[in-house]
Amino acid sequence: GDVYKRQYQRRVRGNQQRPMESVTEPLNSHSSSFLTEPSLPSSGSTKFSDHEAKQHQHEGLPDFSVGSGVWLLCSISLGVAIFMLPSLFAKTGLLAGAVLLGFFAFLSTLVMHLMLSTAEEHGCRDMNDLAALVPGGQLLVSVSVITTLLSANAGHLQLCAAVLFDLLSWFIRGEYSEDFEFNSAHKLTILVIFIAIALPYTFLDDLSMLKHVGKAVCLTCIATCVAVVVSCMVKIGQGDMASGSKAPPTLPGSVADLFRAMPTVCFTYCSLFPLLFVYKSIKEARQDPQIALADMRRAISWAGVVQVSMYTIVSLVATATFGTEAGLKNSGHGSGNVLYNFPCSNYPVTALCLMLVMVIVLDYPILLFPAVNQALKYKPLAGMQYSRHMWSVLFTVVILAVVMLIPDLEDVFGLGGSLGISIHCYVVPGLILFKTQHTIGGRLLGGAIAMLGTSILVVSTFFILAK
C-alpha cells in the first residue's frame, strides 16, 4: 500500500508539472480527447456540467462525493432515447425488452469496471490512452465518437422538428394529426431555423456560455419521465390500459425486431464515455487512491442500478398502458415517440415537450464540439485558420442529410447505437481486454464482448437499413 501510494504521489507531481489538459477544461478547443469532455452522447443528449467540474477542481474537489459520480455517469445516458424504449417493448415484447435492458445494464457496468482496472494497471488517463493499447484503437475511438455524436444530433433534430410542427398545429388549429402533412419543405424550414440558432456556437473555441445546457437537458428528460409515469398510472388507475388485441406481446415477432432493438438499448447505456473523467475528479477529491478506487466502483455500480431502474419503469408502465400503440400512435408525426400517446390537453407533458425542443436545440453545438475536436486531429483541415468552421459546416450538412433521408426516429438512434456505441463501448473495450488480460478466462471474456459489439455493428445495421 505504501509503495502504491508513493507511485500515485509521483504521478500527481508529474501531472502538476505538465500543462493542464482537456480534462480540466472540457469545453476548450485544444481538447485532445473526447472522453475528457463533458458533452457526450447519451441517448440523445449531453450530460454533465463542465462548470461544475471546474468549480470542484478549483476548490480541491472537497465535496465530489460518490453521489456526484453517480450523477455524472447517469446524466450522460439519460436523454430523449428513453422515450423510444416503449415502442421497442411493443415490438419485442415485455419479456424480451426487459431482458435486453437488464442484460446491457449488466454488461455496460461490467465493461466499465474492467476498463477502470485496466486504466489503473497501465496508467491510462483517458479512453484514447486505453485505445492505444491495441492497434488501430484510437482511430476506432475517433470514428465511433464522431458517428455517435452526429447520429445523436440527427435524432435530436428529427424529434424536435416533428414536435415543434405538431405543437404549432395544435396551437393554431386546436389539434394535431397526420392529416396536416409534415412534408419535406416543412421539415427543412424548421431545421434551417434550428441550425441558424445553433450553428454559430459551433464556431467558438470555448462553449462556457452554454455550461448549464447539459444539466438542463438531463433534468428536463427526468421531469418528462416523471410526467409520463404519473400520467400512465392515472390512466391505469382509471381502468384505461391495454387489453385484448392491444395488449403488448411477451416475445418479439421476429429476430429482426430483436436486432433492431439492441442498438437503441445500447444507446441508452453510454456511461463509459465520461468514466475516466469522473474517476480523475474522484481521485483529486480523495487523499487515499485506494479509497478513490473503491468510491469509483460504487459510483459505477449505483449508476447502473439507477439507469436500468428508470428505463424499466418508464418502459413497462408506458407499454402496459398503451400496449402495441406505445410510441406508435397514429396522430402527429412522432412515430416511435411515446410522448405522442398523450394528448396536448395533458399540459404537463406538452409543456415539457416544448422545453425539450428549446434545450435540445442549444445542446446541438455542445454535442458537435467534441466531434469537431476529434476531426481536427487529422488532416487535411487540421491547422487551417477556419478548420473548426469547415468541420462544423461539413458535419451539419451530414446531419441534415440523415434527418431528411431517414424519417424514422428509431432508425436514427438505432444507427447511432449500431455504428457508434457498439464500437466504442464493446468492440474497442473487448479488444483491449483480449490483449491485456492475464488469464484465459479474461481474454475469452474480452473476445466475447468484442464479438457481441461486432454483431451489433454488422447484423443490427443490416436489419435497420433493410427495413
Side-chain angles (χ1 to χ4, degrees), residues 17-323:
Q17 293 169 359
R18 290 194 298 267
M20 297 299 281
E21 296 181 354
S22 60
V23 71
T24 63
E25 296 181 338
L27 289 182
N28 186 282
S29 63
H30 303 294
S31 175
S32 61
S33 170
F34 167 74
L35 296 174
T36 60
E37 294 165 349
S39 32
L40 314 177
S42 65
S43 322
S45 59
T46 69
K47 299 318 145 231
F48 60 87
S49 167
D50 60 304
H51 172 73
E52 182 180 77
K54 289 180 181 179
Q55 183 180 27
H56 282 316
Q57 190 168 38
H58 293 323
E59 295 173 355
L61 297 167
D63 58 344
F64 199 96
S65 63
V66 173
S68 300
V70 173
W71 162 255
L72 296 184
L73 293 173
C74 287
S75 58
I76 196 72
S77 297
L78 297 177
V80 296
I82 191 173
F83 305 117
M84 309 298 114
L85 294 178
S87 67
L88 295 181
F89 269 54
K91 296 173 182 177
T92 63
L94 292 176
L95 179 60
V99 169
L100 280 179
L101 283 180
F103 172 74
F104 280 105
F106 170 78
L107 185 60
S108 64
T109 302
L110 175 63
V111 168
M112 284 193 289
H113 278 295
L114 294 172
M115 288 298 98
L116 180 62
S117 299
T118 305
E120 275 290 287
E121 180 181 353
H122 294 273
C124 301
R125 294 171 297 171
D126 54 42
M127 189 63 181
N128 277 334
D129 286 351
L130 277 171
L133 297 175
V134 296
Q138 290 183 320
L139 178 60
L140 286 175
V141 165
S142 295
V143 171
S144 64
V145 165
I146 292 173
T147 302
T148 301
L149 292 176
L150 296 191
S151 62
N153 262 334
H156 282 176
L157 293 182
Q158 185 84 271
L159 180 144
C160 289
V163 169
L164 182 60
F165 179 85
D166 288 325
L167 286 176
L168 290 173
S169 299
W170 170 71
F171 182 75
I172 296 171
R173 298 172 177 260
E175 62 177 328
Y176 65 87
S177 167
E178 287 184 339
D179 295 336
F180 309 139
E181 182 183 2
F182 183 41
N183 58 37
S184 298
H186 294 146
K187 180 185 288 189
L188 186 59
T189 301
I190 294 177
L191 291 176
V192 168
I193 294 173
F194 288 163
I195 295 300
I197 295 171
L199 188 61
Y201 291 104
T202 67
F203 300 151
L204 301 178
D205 290 336
D206 189 339
L207 297 183
S208 57
M209 66 179 67
L210 300 177
K211 59 192 176 186
H212 297 301
V213 171
K215 185 182 295 183
V217 173
C218 183
L219 292 176
T220 304
C221 287
I222 292 174
T224 308
C225 288
V226 173
V228 166
V229 172
V230 171
S231 298
C232 287
M233 294 302 293
V234 169
K235 291 177 68 69
I236 292 175
Q238 295 173 345
D240 186 9
M241 61 183 297
S243 59
S245 61
K246 293 184 179 180
T250 304
L251 297 173
S254 66
V255 175
D257 288 337
L258 189 63
F259 273 98
R260 277 195 290 264
M262 289 173 67
T264 303
V265 175
C266 289
F267 211 105
T268 61
Y269 292 111
C270 52
S271 296
L272 178 64
F273 283 93
L275 176 70
L276 296 183
F277 173 86
V278 175
Y279 182 42
K280 186 178 190 304
S281 299
I282 288 181
K283 284 199 296 185
E284 292 178 351
R286 307 291 188 272
Q287 296 297 322
D288 190 333
Q290 294 179 344
I291 294 177
L293 182 61
D295 285 350
M296 185 63 200
R297 293 200 181 281
R298 283 199 292 272
I300 291 172
S301 299
W302 277 111
V305 171
V306 171
Q307 289 174 60
V308 71
S309 299
M310 180 172 290
Y311 298 155
T312 303
I313 290 172
V314 172
S315 301
L316 289 180
V317 171
T319 308
T321 304
F322 302 112

Side-chain angles (χ1 to χ4, degrees), residues 356-387:
L356 279 173
V357 172
M358 292 188 290
V359 296
I360 285 177
V361 170
L362 291 177
D363 199 35
Y364 180 91
I366 302 179
L367 275 177
L368 198 64
F369 189 89
V372 172
N373 282 354
Q374 286 288 330
L376 288 174
K377 297 189 301 183
Y378 302 100
K379 296 179 179 181
L381 299 182
M384 297 178 62
Q385 182 177 2
Y386 295 105
S387 55

